[in-house]
Amino acid sequence: EHEGYFENKGAIISKIPWECSWDHFVGQEACRFIHRYGKDGPFAMMVGFPGPHCPYDPAPDFPHGPRFDPADMPDSIPDAGATPKLRAANIAGNRRPWNGVDYTEFTEAQKKRIRAHYAGLVKQIDYEVGQIIQALEANGLLDNTVIIFSTDHADYLGDHNLIGKASFYETAMRIPLLVRVPWARGSQVCDDLVELRDITATMLRLAGVEVPRYMDSRPLPGLGLTDQPPRDRIFGMLTDGWMAFDGQWKLAKYATGEVVLFNLKDDPYEQRNLAGDPAYFDVYRRLDMELTLELMESFRVAMHDRLASHADMSQDPAFGREGWHWRFPAPIDAAVR
């Protein structure tokens, strides 16, 4: 119903004024909670902004700064042709009624317009986060509050000739992660490997709670919360793809049958697929083995509550004797090595 929606691949100006936009509503509700209840005692608040997301529709009257010019946006990363089936699935998925946009033809001008609108949506959220911080400060809570800023996925914005998410290309899976802790002296950048689920363990430790053994989550490094070494591998699992990444080498396998191996150190834009190169077979085999073991372990643990036993019941000295009983389902700790 917005003029130019299809021609501009979903990059339009919203008909809804900023005052009535959903991100502004979420931000203002968060501030309202802080002003009304923030001094009542400790609280945990999750503030989820729906944007930036397609449609790429910044408000027409956002008053805090000018709009971004498409001409100022960076060029997209070219499509190196490593995953044509993935692109076909990306096109088909976006043709569905939830979006209705056909990205078969996707020009650089359209990509830059999308990027400018996306930047506008980010700017709107940036403002709302600033308002939340000001609300904490106004109530004397800022110096006693931990703030974690992150998101669940990124957006290709035309990179690799794709839009949206749902693969293991860097521009879809690499996300912002900022942590503000009141006791920090200055700022630092941590380049260790982390996963989004590590935020869970981080919040538990900040609250003085031990991380359960069965939870595959570690406190974020650099915050003084753990003596554990940082991750040396991260794994990704989607409904239609799996990934192993060691900080330099990334192996991704998709339900389309496509397999890619990238050296992120030498090829940060993922333009050279080395999966079929004999010179890198040992790297491929190592990552493939690590990914297979991770998947096997994940399935084993996921089945813990449907197994009669995680071991041999006959090894229990009381097995088969009067009064013997077996706990079912077995506790999750029994499934964890």
Side-chain angles (χ1 to χ4, degrees):
E1 68 273 16
H2 286 68
E3 183 180 352
Y5 175 79
F6 295 103
E7 303 93 297
N8 295 304
K9 308 299 184 183
I12 41 87
I13 300 299
S14 176
K15 292 183 177 182
I16 300 173
W18 172 69
E19 185 66 28
C20 300
S21 65
W22 50 14
D23 286 333
H24 185 56
F25 170 78
V26 169
Q28 292 304 295
E29 286 298 302
C31 292
R32 187 175 292 113
F33 176 90
I34 293 169
H35 288 307
R36 184 173 298 176
Y37 304 110
K39 295 180 180 179
D40 289 356
F43 64 85
M45 175 192 292
M46 178 175 176
V47 183
F49 293 102
H53 207 284
C54 58
Y56 307 100
D57 58 347
D61 59 342
F62 180 65
H64 303 284
R67 290 186 189 160
F68 291 90
D69 187 344
D72 295 333
M73 295 295 106
D75 293 338
S76 65
I77 296 173
D79 178 11
T83 51
K85 294 179 181 178
L86 193 69
R87 181 168 191 269
N90 185 256
I91 293 171
N94 281 283
R95 282 176 177 162
R96 294 167 63 185
W98 72 273
N99 191 8
V101 177
D102 188 347
Y103 290 94
T104 304
E105 297 295 328
F106 201 6
T107 68
E108 189 65 21
Q110 289 167 335
K111 294 173 184 178
K112 288 196 173 187
R113 183 183 178 92
I114 287 172
R115 288 167 179 241
H117 283 223
Y118 191 89
L121 291 168
V122 171
K123 191 176 184 70
Q124 291 176 196
I125 290 180
D126 183 63
Y127 172 80
E128 300 300 337
V129 172
Q131 291 295 103
I132 293 170
I133 292 173
Q134 287 182 24
L136 290 169
E137 190 170 29
N139 287 276
L141 298 169
L142 186 60
D143 290 334
N144 193 34
T145 301
V146 175
I147 302 173
I148 302 175
F149 179 90
S150 190
T151 182
D152 56 341
H153 62 83
D155 194 310
Y156 302 113
L157 303 177
D159 286 342
H160 309 287
N161 221 15
L162 299 168
I163 195 72
K165 56 183 180 179
S167 84
F168 297 108
Y169 281 114
E170 287 289 283
T171 47
M173 65 172 271
R174 184 177 287 272
I175 58 174
L177 177 55
L178 306 173
V179 182
R180 181 193 182 277
V181 288
W183 57 83
R185 295 182 178 179
S187 60
Q188 64 172 323
V189 176
C190 179
D191 293 323
D192 292 331
L193 292 176
V194 298
E195 297 186 1
L196 187 61
R197 56 186 166 183
D198 292 339
I199 291 176
T200 305
T202 302
M203 291 191 294
L204 289 173
R205 292 300 301 126
L206 286 167
V209 178
E210 292 298 322
V211 181
R213 287 183 59 241
Y214 60 78
M215 186 174 287
D216 191 5
S217 178
R218 303 184 187 183
L220 291 169
L223 300 177
L225 300 174
T226 179
D227 295 328
Q228 285 182 283
R231 295 183 183 273
D232 57 5
R233 300 286 187 277
I234 61 172
F235 299 95
M237 297 181 191
L238 299 169
T239 55
D240 52 2
W242 299 329
M243 179 211 69
F245 179 50
D246 66 5
Q248 176 177 353
W249 293 95
K250 181 197 293 182
L251 173 68
K253 308 176 79 171
Y254 297 103
T256 60
E258 293 164 321
V259 179
V260 293
L261 176 68
F262 296 115
N263 183 340
L264 271 294
K265 183 177 181 180
D266 298 334
D267 180 25
Y269 296 133
E270 298 169 295
Q271 297 291 286
R272 299 187 298 276
N273 181 13
L274 304 174
D277 191 328
Y280 302 98
F281 178 72
D282 286 345
V283 176
Y284 178 98
R285 183 171 58 181
R286 172 178 61 80
L287 288 174
D288 190 52
M289 178 192 68
E290 293 172 0
L291 178 59
T292 300
L293 291 175
E294 178 70 12
L295 290 164
M296 292 173 68
E297 179 66 3
S298 296
F299 280 113
R300 187 184 73 82
V301 175
M303 290 291 293
H304 85 279
D305 61 342
R306 280 160 277 182
L307 300 178
S309 173
H310 289 281
D312 184 353
M313 287 185 283
S314 66
Q315 300 307 305
D316 184 344
F319 176 71
R321 299 182 181 276
E322 185 176 354
W324 177 85
H325 67 277
W326 193 256
R327 183 175 176 183
F328 180 85
I332 183 65
D333 276 355
V336 180
R337 273 187 267 198

